[in-house]
Amino acid sequence: MGTYRVMQATAPNGPLEPAERAVPPPGPRQVRIAVEACGVCHSDALFLSGALPGVTFPEVPGHEIAGRIEELGGGATDFGWQTGDRVAVGWFGGSCGHCRQCRDGDFIVCSNLKVPGWAYDGGFAEKVIAPVDALARIPDALTAVDAAPLSCAGVTVFNGMRRSPARPGDLVAVLGLGGLGHLGVQYAAAMGFETVAIARGREKAAFAEQLGAHHYLDSTSDTPVAAALQALGGAKVVLATAANADAMTATVDGLAPRGELVVVGADTTPLAVTPAQLLMSARTIRGHPSGTAQDVQDTMAFSALHAIRPMTETLPLTHAEQAYQKMLTGRARFRMVLTTD
């Protein structure tokens, strides 16, 4: 059936280099996707560094995949899929269906979660084999370049807010204006929240306003972030997209009673929060993972309805190492996306 190209690392922290693979047929309840775009996520560093248990080399990363189904495995049509369908696959690349979490219907925390680039070759490739339960249908209004980052970055912040205690009219703050935060502000405003953007430097105020924020807080100003949030009435939710534990900690006293800090930015530094800060005002700190294929589909549908798009910079698949390094060193314009010919 010929060959296809992947971009792979052959050793931990090694460069992404091209390789050819034989085109495989999809197995039962699988499809083969012709990849059109794949986002570059900071979590790809966990795979390429070999930091996660079970990662093997050569490693093909990529879990923000958008493309078209080109071949169906046995039983795939039973789930409503056809060749030519436009689909996305994100961090949720399938579940085992038999662990306790899956039996409870909580598939995103499956004990055997099949993350692309970890459980199977990811989207830094011209083709991907994925299970049918990982597939989200891309709406016509979204391009593949738009859809790819929404399958991980987008669904993470969208789900983080819609599953929070915030309701339309509540004060919701988004900490960080990067790859996750610039989407978070747009979603918060579209959901009807009184939206606060928090970032470093006054120069970002105009950008925050363009995204739909009603207020902007400069975390480097003389007024502490928590005090500034309380002056606005206290935040029902702070969505912490910036991967900085100290910045997250600084928002806790800015939460309203029964307010919630929703953590989506990954940092290994401990949060410096005392029990008293949580107890008297009944505050909550919650970690929030990505979302299932249906959550991804909901995110894309909401994005299409409200004209919300990720800000992206594209490079060809063969420039994967350049795109990865731009993301890793913070030189990317929000979300790097690889495209195939």
Side-chain angles (χ1 to χ4, degrees):
M1 294 183 64
T3 62
Y4 69 102
R5 178 179 293 164
V6 303
M7 297 299 293
Q8 65 179 26
T10 57
N13 297 312
L16 289 160
E17 299 172 322
E20 294 290 322
R21 302 277 178 88
V23 176
R29 297 187 176 187
Q30 292 181 336
V31 301
R32 189 174 67 242
I33 301 169
V35 179
E36 296 174 350
C38 185
V40 182
C41 181
H42 204 278
S43 299
D44 290 322
L46 297 174
F47 308 131
L48 291 170
S49 67
L52 291 175
V55 172
T56 58
F57 290 83
E59 158 68 17
V60 180
H63 55 269
E64 293 185 346
I65 303 163
R68 294 180 184 271
I69 296 175
E70 66 176 17
E71 186 175 351
L72 302 161
T77 56
D78 295 342
F79 295 84
W81 298 107
Q82 301 292 333
T83 56
D85 285 349
R86 302 179 68 225
V87 293
V89 179
W91 178 265
F92 180 84
S95 57
C96 72
H98 59 76
C99 70
R100 174 59 187 264
Q101 294 79 251
C102 285
R103 287 167 63 86
D104 282 340
D106 197 0
F107 301 106
I108 191 59
V109 288
C110 168
S111 296
N112 308 292
L113 190 66
K114 302 172 185 175
V115 181
W118 193 0
Y120 51 87
D121 282 350
F124 287 19
E126 292 173 333
K127 302 181 189 298
V128 165
I129 299 286
V132 292
D133 62 326
L135 304 179
R137 196 175 300 277
I138 300 174
D140 292 340
L142 297 183
T143 67
V145 170
D146 290 334
L150 297 182
S151 66
C152 180
V155 69
T156 298
V157 293
F158 177 78
N159 246 8
M161 283 185 289
R162 75 166 175 168
R163 300 192 187 285
S164 78
R167 297 295 177 263
D170 286 343
L171 191 77
V172 170
V174 178
L175 175 64
L177 280 178
L180 293 173
H182 87 284
L183 286 167
V185 170
Q186 294 179 76
Y187 287 135
M191 289 177 180
F193 303 140
E194 184 179 354
T195 304
V196 184
I198 307 171
R200 294 176 60 85
R202 284 300 311 168
E203 69 279 0
K204 297 178 182 175
F207 176 58
E209 184 179 353
Q210 291 170 14
L211 294 173
H214 303 98
H215 311 277
Y216 177 75
L217 301 182
D218 173 11
S219 61
T220 65
S221 73
D222 293 336
T223 303
V225 167
L229 287 173
Q230 289 297 345
L232 293 171
K236 186 68 173 180
V237 167
V238 172
L239 181 74
T241 71
N244 185 309
D246 290 341
M248 295 180 195
T249 298
T251 69
V252 172
D253 284 334
L255 291 169
R258 299 198 181 276
E260 184 172 275
L261 172 64
V262 181
V263 177
V264 298
D267 190 6
T268 57
T269 304
L271 293 171
V273 180
T274 68
Q277 286 177 279
L278 305 179
L279 181 62
M280 299 305 293
S281 295
R283 294 165 174 152
T284 302
I285 299 175
R286 176 171 62 92
H288 175 77
S290 179
T292 65
Q294 184 60 54
D295 293 325
V296 173
Q297 196 161 305
D298 292 346
T299 301
M300 292 190 293
F302 188 89
S303 301
L305 183 65
H306 292 277
I308 295 171
R309 303 291 186 271
M311 295 184 177
T312 59
E313 180 181 345
T314 60
L315 283 173
L317 175 64
T318 51
H319 290 59
E321 176 64 16
Q322 179 185 347
Y324 176 70
Q325 291 300 329
K326 288 193 74 169
M327 178 280 299
L328 205 60
T329 57
R331 294 180 291 116
R333 179 65 174 168
F334 298 105
R335 305 301 295 187
M336 294 299 305
V337 179
L338 299 172
T339 58
T340 57
D341 293 335

